[in-house]
Amino acid sequence: MLTPIDPAAVIRDGGAVGQYPGQIHEGVGWWLGACLVVTAKASRLAVAHDGHPVSTEFADRLCQGAINAQHYACTVRYLGWQPEEELLAELSAIEAPGAWLSSETAGDATTVRIRLYTAQGTLLDNTNGLATIRRLIAQDRVPRPVNSQAKGTIEPWPPASADGGRP
């Protein structure tokens, strides 16, 4: 692990939470995306964030990790800046797990929260995948891409219409 974290302190409360920089870094987004895909055996994933610049960076990294998770060739529906309720509605519609990212800055510290959900919209906990994700990260077993043919894709949402605009 190039930049280690304290998995027990950071991977908790339904996903990951920590101060940036310091306790958490952008690589954690990648790790969570890859681990969520492999743990859930997901071919689809939905991701949204609160619009904060730090959340946006972490969300981008999470999407990259998800599309590079072993042989799953996961398609990530990237909702961008959306409320958490919109993400949950999308998870239900596409029957896929997902992640919602938020950040709050106070003074020089930014707290990042990454919430991971099952396809049923249930927050991950130690009984439905979070413990496995924590263990993969702690043991430096973050899933790596198998080859370029196994790489997934990121689809922006809503998709652009044929004339280049949004529907």
Side-chain angles (χ1 to χ4, degrees):
M1 187 177 305
L2 294 176
T3 311
I5 60 165
D6 180 352
V10 173
I11 310 299
R12 60 184 172 85
D13 299 337
V17 62
Q19 284 194 342
Y20 171 78
Q23 295 175 314
I24 195 168
H25 55 80
E26 298 93 333
V28 174
W30 176 289
W31 301 344
L32 289 175
C35 289
L36 180 58
V37 167
V38 171
T39 301
K41 298 177 176 46
S43 61
R44 298 192 59 77
L45 192 74
V47 177
H49 60 79
D50 67 353
H52 190 285
V54 174
S55 302
T56 303
E57 178 63 29
F58 274 76
D60 290 344
R61 295 285 185 98
L62 191 142
C63 291
Q64 290 300 315
I67 66 169
N68 283 291
Q70 290 181 339
H71 61 277
Y72 285 90
C74 184
T75 299
V76 176
R77 183 164 289 175
Y78 186 51
L79 305 173
W81 184 358
Q82 296 292 329
E84 193 170 13
E85 295 76 24
E86 185 68 28
L87 171 74
L88 293 172
E90 189 64 22
L91 298 181
S92 177
I94 67 173
E95 298 178 349
W100 193 76
L101 296 89
S102 63
S103 299
E104 184 177 321
T105 301
D108 293 338
T110 299
T111 300
V112 176
R113 179 175 300 278
I114 303 170
R115 296 170 62 94
L116 303 175
Y117 289 96
T118 66
Q120 296 75 35
T122 304
L123 198 59
L124 286 192
D125 61 26
N126 287 333
T127 67
N128 64 5
L130 195 61
T132 301
I133 291 170
R134 184 183 309 108
R135 186 176 64 252
L136 287 169
I137 292 171
Q139 295 174 351
D140 196 19
R141 297 260 191 242
V142 174
R144 311 248 191 290
V146 175
N147 56 49
S148 59
Q149 290 79 25
K151 188 171 183 172
T153 58
I154 299 171
E155 60 181 29
W157 194 254
S161 64
D163 65 5
R166 296 285 183 192

